[in-house]
Amino acid sequence: MRDSEAPLFRKRPREFFTCLSDQFPHKVEDENKIDAPSQVSLTKRLPLSEIPINTISPFSVNTSWSASCSSYPGDSGCNQPDVVSDGSSARATPILIENQYLFNSHKTQRKESKCSEPADYFSTTGLLDDDFDESILEEIDALCKQTSAIKAVRQDPNLSSNKNQYNNNISDDINTRTGSSTANEIIKTEGTLNCGDDLDPILEGKESLQTRRTGAMPKEYFKYLQSLNDMQREAACTDISVPLVIVAGPGSGKTSTMVGRVLMLLNEGIAPSNVLAMTFTTAAASEMRDRIGAVAGKEIAKELTISTFHSFCLQLCRTHAEKLGRTSEFLIYGHGQQRRAIIEAVRLVEKERSIQKDSAFEHDEISKCITTPQHFKDKAKKWQKLVTQAKSYGKTPTEYREMGDEIGAAILRNYNDILKSCNALDYHDLISCSAKLLSDFPEVFKECQNSWKAIIIDEFQDTSTMQYNFLRILASHRKITIVGDDDQSIFGFNGADISGFASFRNDFPNYKEIRLSKNYRSTRCIVEAASSLIQNNMKRCKLKNVVTDNSSGSKITVKECHNEEAQCAFVVDKILEMASNGSADNCPYSNIAVLFRRQVSGRAFQIAFRERKIPFNIHGIAFYRKKVIRAIIAMLRTTLPDCDDDPYRRVFKALLPFEKEEKMKVIGHIEKISVIRKCSFISAACDIFNAKVSGTFKRSQLTQGRKVLFTLEMISKLIHRLEKDLHLGW
Ligand SMILES: Nc1ncnc2c1ncn2[C@@H]1O[C@H](COP(=O)(O)OP(=O)(O)OP(=O)(O)O)[C@@H](O)[C@H]1O
């Protein structure tokens, strides 16, 4: 993959709103026709971090803004700061309140070329850098020599007792060590004797396997592996050629084990740029990189590819976009754009059906309906689920037709065609198209096999069927480690399928399974309560007991409250009691976390904390869901190159000072004009409010519409000025 010259664009050409293309061109192209990419760039491939996501803003004066500004959160799924400090916080170590898992599996990460720490993003070195330092080649040579030595040792007939090491796939805590744990035993038994510089080179004249395998191991790696418990170490040290399943209970040192596994892989001679680790969140990716960096050094950690599924697949799709009938600058459709594409798909199906009807009366009735946007919106709601499900399971229109669902098949086909004609993919497409690239294009498959010599998958329980299909092909060399826990599956709503474990066991029959069941994180009370609760889940893959050596800790209190206010008051009182100087707990605010299920509850806590002067941070994405924040973000998004209709629509919705009904009427009219004129939302708005289109707007509506346009223009100019200043170094 490193050698391929697939083009990636950093920026699209500057355009003005008058030449913006249609959001949904009405001409739907032939399903089977693969479009030739509109342009082929000879520019050097750029890291994912520098690749823009969507289309140009009419107000955008300078397209380089997106590459130089900080990423912003929002519908396009950009990086979000983990913690948002509340302005009222008086202390530096506030309480955290959280209602969301920090994840970004559905959102493509926008990464900054200048502002981010390298650890923040998908290291694309392995994929993209064509030239590298000669010294790395020397390092690789050294590592290769080491690997050959290891191989020679493995072929040593004296070690034949280890031959049947993988016959018994599952080893649990009381299992005897298999041959693969040789390194494990060495590390465990030799203690501080054999590590790096301290290694005795003579060892009574016997150059044992142990010495040869660990002799070259850097001291830090050795120390790290020693710090793991037996099962963790066994997992880390299992031979790379064995597909490995690590079933890791909560707080059982899963991340620590994965870090150990990567260190062992590096020690076995696999170059960091050939290691691929997939995590579910960018936070998890950066934690893993940091932890590896702390032992192996930041430079090595930077070279590893640690990425979310979507980031990785986005990169693969962009690199080979032309094979998918897209250009490398294809758009990624988020929820809103997906919904609008479905509405359009429904409209097209209805149109086709209405043409087929011959009754004049019926035709009139249908025509009337067809002209009502609300009609399609309502209809589209029904079909949205079908499309999302079809996409998450990788189902095709043909499959729906075969199941007898003609309309579903037609809508799905139209939806796919619309995305294709708009040069777009949705988030599910990123995965399915990546799988297609691997299965249909042998050269891509080969590139990937050469690039990713060892694959580690975190949170495997949350992989969807599509993701698993992709992995299965990607890991055809069988050098794969999956880590997960079916008890912790939380992405069922998004197609996560815990049967992936069963599929893995089936598809990789010589797998080895190791269970990590010792919890280091929680008190015994919590571990036991959680275990007894989860035992009620009849769908668990295999029963397992989580144990801990930790102390019992305080008992869990279950408090039933009549309503949310009472609940909030109870929690606030409890926090004040725990944090007070005289209390037995004397617990600092920063050690207290409040988890809540619904955003509204979060709001109640925020108000109560402010009133009672309890410092707090909001952890999670709820902050970015606030209307006002979304409006501000939308405004900023309009200044980005290639901004699509969504942010403009949101800005009008936020800024027009009318009642909801009037506001929707104005926005609806702009949308209608944009459809009729086949132009973007903002072009239509400009035409309407600059009185180029005669319409039914009242004077006040025209005035307010103009004000919104003026605001957008001001923001665009401000950003442009700021950017210019930055370029000039002021
Ligand atoms: N062998 C060990 N000995 C002592 N402490 C350990 C060991 N392994 C892990 N820990 C500690 O347990 C805690 C949890 O470890 P880690 O973050 O690796 O677990 P995890 O399984 O990834 O957690 P989770 O998935 O629940 O977030 C950490 O504080 C870590 O230092």
Side-chain angles (χ1 to χ4, degrees):
M1 188 179 286
R2 197 181 293 123
D3 296 326
S4 92
E5 286 298 331
L8 290 178
F9 296 109
R10 176 172 178 162
K11 293 164 207 155
R12 260 147 284 185
R14 247 174 72 184
E15 290 173 44
F16 294 95
F17 53 85
T18 44
C19 52
L20 275 175
S21 66
D22 238 351
Q23 266 284 296
F24 301 121
H26 294 267
K27 193 171 120 275
V28 172
E29 293 171 28
D30 178 4
E31 188 183 359
N32 302 318
K33 189 181 144 212
I34 302 262
D35 298 335
S38 60
Q39 285 169 296
V40 176
S41 161
L42 296 175
T43 46
K44 194 175 172 231
R45 274 185 287 152
L46 284 148
L48 182 62
S49 52
E50 296 179 20
I51 299 168
I53 290 181
N54 278 330
T55 53
I56 201 161
S57 153
F59 293 115
S60 170
V61 198
N62 190 326
T63 54
S64 61
W65 164 250
S66 72
S68 60
C69 74
S70 284
S71 69
Y72 57 89
D75 293 345
S76 68
C78 304
N79 279 345
Q80 296 165 1
D82 290 354
V83 177
V84 179
S85 189
D86 181 83
S88 64
S89 293
R91 283 160 53 170
T93 53
I95 190 171
L96 281 180
I97 58 176
E98 175 169 24
N99 77 334
Q100 293 284 341
Y101 286 90
L102 275 179
F103 67 87
N104 216 344
S105 71
H106 324 299
K107 310 253 176 180
T108 307
Q109 297 307 297
R110 181 183 216 98
K111 289 144 192 163
E112 308 80 2
S113 56
K114 294 173 187 166
C115 320
S116 290
E117 287 294 315
D120 283 346
Y121 47 76
F122 176 11
S123 164
T124 48
T125 328
L127 270 174
L128 304 165
D129 283 358
D130 290 332
D131 44 358
F132 52 88
D133 195 328
E134 283 290 301
S135 63
I136 293 180
L137 288 173
E138 283 165 24
E139 247 179 75
I140 293 172
D141 281 348
L143 288 168
C144 289
K145 272 185 208 154
Q146 196 187 321
T147 318
S148 319
I150 291 164
K151 273 188 192 149
V153 169
R154 282 195 202 121
Q155 284 156 10
D156 189 335
N158 297 333
L159 296 168
S160 56
S161 59
N162 291 331
K163 260 186 186 167
N164 296 326
Q165 55 187 314
Y166 305 121
N167 286 355
N168 183 5
N169 288 130
I170 301 175
S171 55
D172 54 30
D173 296 28
I174 49 157
N175 219 356
T176 47
R177 301 288 161 268
T178 60
S180 67
S181 62
T182 316
N184 185 7
E185 282 167 0
I186 305 152
I187 290 156
K188 194 179 134 197
T189 55
E190 294 191 352
T192 52
L193 180 68
N194 287 345
C195 59
D197 308 336
D198 301 339
L199 190 74
D200 179 354
I202 304 169
L203 270 179
E204 317 291 355
K206 285 183 226 158
E207 203 197 355
S208 63
L209 163 71
Q210 285 93 325
T211 359
R212 276 182 276 165
R213 285 198 78 182
T214 59
M217 183 183 276
K219 198 173 173 177
E220 294 74 19
Y221 292 20
F222 191 89
K223 271 193 184 159
Y224 185 89
L225 290 167
Q226 260 193 317
S227 74
L228 300 178
N229 71 27
D230 287 358
M231 298 312 295
Q232 293 169 335
R233 203 180 308 113
E234 178 164 347
C237 297
T238 293
D239 194 288
I240 180 60
S241 58
V242 180
L244 181 64
V245 182
I246 305 176
V247 180
S252 62
K254 168 175 71 91
T255 314
S256 314
T257 307
M258 281 192 295
V259 169
R261 181 113 184 102
V262 171
L263 296 177
M264 201 60 203
L265 293 174
L266 298 176
N267 193 58
E268 293 269 312
I270 296 180
S273 59
N274 291 141
V275 177
L276 167 65
M278 299 270 216
T279 59
F280 257 76
T281 67
T282 38
S286 91
E287 187 192 342
M288 198 162 154
R289 197 185 295 283
D290 288 350
R291 282 167 74 166
I292 294 168
V295 186
K298 276 192 177 163
E299 284 310 306
I300 288 184
K302 241 198 275 178
E303 277 193 63
L304 299 161
T305 294
I306 307 178
S307 161
T308 62
F309 266 102
H310 285 90
S311 294
F312 182 81
C313 290
L314 171 64
Q315 179 63 57
L316 194 63
C317 290
R318 286 227 192 272
T319 310
H320 298 284
E322 78 288 354
K323 296 184 175 75
L324 303 167
R326 309 288 196 276
T327 71
S328 56
E329 354 155 58
F330 64 78
L331 309 175
I332 296 154
Y333 273 12
H335 196 67
Q337 289 143 316
Q338 216 181 352
R339 197 167 55 88
R340 272 186 290 283
I342 295 170
I343 293 172
E344 181 64 2
V346 171
R347 196 189 68 78
L348 287 168
V349 170
E350 294 232 341
K351 200 175 161 194
E352 281 161 24
R353 282 159 60 86
S354 78
I355 291 166
Q356 285 160 11
K357 307 234 176 190
D358 36 28
S359 147
F361 170 76
E362 259 184 318
H363 187 77
D364 274 0
E365 283 302 297
I366 289 161
S367 310
K368 253 188 251 163
C369 288
I370 283 172
T371 52
T372 336
Q374 196 54 44
H375 166 81
F376 298 117
K377 280 189 188 167
D378 293 343
K379 285 236 153 180
K381 269 184 203 157
K382 287 184 206 157
W383 292 107
Q384 189 146 8
K385 204 169 168 195
L386 177 133
V387 174
T388 327
Q389 255 180 11
K391 301 295 280 192
S392 61
Y393 289 100
K395 289 206 169 132
T396 60
T398 317
E399 284 174 88
Y400 276 89
R401 200 174 305 119
E402 281 167 7
M403 288 188 301
D405 188 351
E406 286 289 339
I407 304 181
I411 288 172
L412 191 57
R413 194 192 58 240
N414 284 346
Y415 172 84
N416 287 339
D417 288 343
I418 288 165
L419 260 66
K420 193 170 172 186
S421 62
C422 293
N423 192 27
L425 293 177
D426 64 29
Y427 288 102
H428 291 300
D429 287 333
L430 294 178
I431 313 291
S432 56
C433 289
S434 296
K436 187 178 158 67
L437 284 170
L438 292 183
S439 58
D440 295 3
F441 299 91
E443 68 278 19
V444 180
F445 175 75
K446 204 167 159 219
E447 266 175 21
C448 286
Q449 293 285 293
N450 289 338
S451 287
W452 315 117
K453 301 214 160 96
I455 300 167
I456 300 176
I457 311 298
D458 188 13
E459 309 285 9
F460 181 77
Q461 73 279 358
D462 287 325
T463 48
S464 66
T465 310
M466 282 303 304
Q467 286 167 335
Y468 178 71
N469 286 343
F470 168 66
L471 275 183
R472 196 170 37 84
I473 313 173
L474 189 69
S476 295
H477 50 38
R478 320 182 76 73
K479 291 174 182 152
I480 182 170
T481 301
I482 61 166
V483 189
D485 177 13
D486 51 312
D487 284 348
Q488 294 180 60
S489 181
I490 54 170
F491 282 99
F493 65 90
N494 196 41
D497 185 1
I498 52 167
S499 67
F501 278 107
S503 307
F504 186 92
R505 291 181 186 111
N506 221 18
D507 294 331
F508 297 88
N510 69 329
Y511 74 94
K512 175 178 174 179
E513 185 163 322
I514 294 178
R515 310 234 185 110
L516 306 180
S517 50
K518 190 165 178 180
N519 180 301
Y520 290 93
R521 177 168 288 144
S522 313
T523 60
R524 197 173 323 137
C525 256
I526 292 175
V527 169
E528 283 170 4
S531 300
S532 68
L533 188 68
I534 198 72
Q535 267 162 24
N536 296 315
N537 181 359
M538 305 313 287
K539 290 188 190 162
R540 296 172 89 195
C541 286
K542 288 196 174 147
L543 287 180
K544 53 186 169 283
N545 289 325
V546 180
V547 292
T548 186
D549 289 342
N550 292 344
S551 63
S552 300
S554 47
K555 282 193 173 169
I556 296 169
T557 307
V558 178
K559 171 82 181 165
E560 272 185 70
C561 300
H562 292 302
N563 53 35
E564 292 218 322
E565 285 91 65
Q567 174 184 288
C568 188
F570 173 80
V571 172
V572 169
D573 286 344
K574 189 82 193 154
I575 289 170
L576 287 171
E577 182 194 315
M578 285 165 68
S580 74
N581 284 335
S583 84
D585 299 306
N586 194 10
C587 181
Y589 288 127
S590 57
N591 283 9
I592 302 173
V594 178
L595 305 177
F596 49 87
R597 250 177 6 110
R598 302 187 313 144
Q599 263 200 71
V600 282
S601 318
R603 180 99 193 108
F605 281 117
Q606 286 177 48
I607 294 169
F609 289 157
R610 269 194 208 110
E611 275 172 6
R612 307 288 289 271
K613 303 218 174 335
I614 297 175
F616 65 95
N617 279 333
I618 304 167
H619 196 81
I621 58 169
F623 174 79
Y624 296 101
R625 292 222 181 118
K626 286 182 179 175
K627 262 189 191 165
V628 60
I629 302 300
R630 283 166 74 142
I632 292 169
I633 290 166
M635 276 182 216
L636 293 174
R637 283 180 73 185
T638 63
T639 69
L640 286 170
D642 305 352
C643 176
D644 57 33
D645 284 354
D646 242 9
Y648 288 105
R649 204 176 283 113
R650 193 179 289 280
V651 171
F652 272 83
K653 213 167 152 187
L655 296 189
L656 286 174
F658 306 130
E659 289 299 318
K660 192 175 172 193
E661 205 174 305
E662 187 175 357
K663 213 186 275 194
M664 295 322 289
K665 210 168 135 189
V666 173
I667 293 171
H669 190 70
I670 303 172
E671 276 171 349
K672 204 168 151 189
I673 297 292
S674 90
V675 170
I676 293 168
R677 294 192 149 206
K678 297 187 178 174
C679 65
S680 65
F681 182 90
I682 189 64
S683 302
C686 287
D687 286 352
I688 292 166
F689 299 120
N690 293 328
K692 288 187 190 156
V693 180
S694 57
T696 51
F697 281 144
K698 292 185 219 158
R699 179 173 293 194
S700 64
Q701 291 170 336
L702 288 172
T703 312
Q704 294 304 334
R706 250 176 251 133
K707 278 188 185 171
V708 177
L709 290 179
F710 180 71
T711 309
L712 285 172
E713 207 171 340
M714 288 302 294
I715 292 169
S716 173
K717 280 183 181 163
L718 271 172
I719 300 282
H720 177 50
R721 196 184 304 162
L722 185 76
E723 196 185 23
K724 219 164 125 193
D725 291 352
L726 282 172
H727 280 162
L728 293 172
W730 291 346

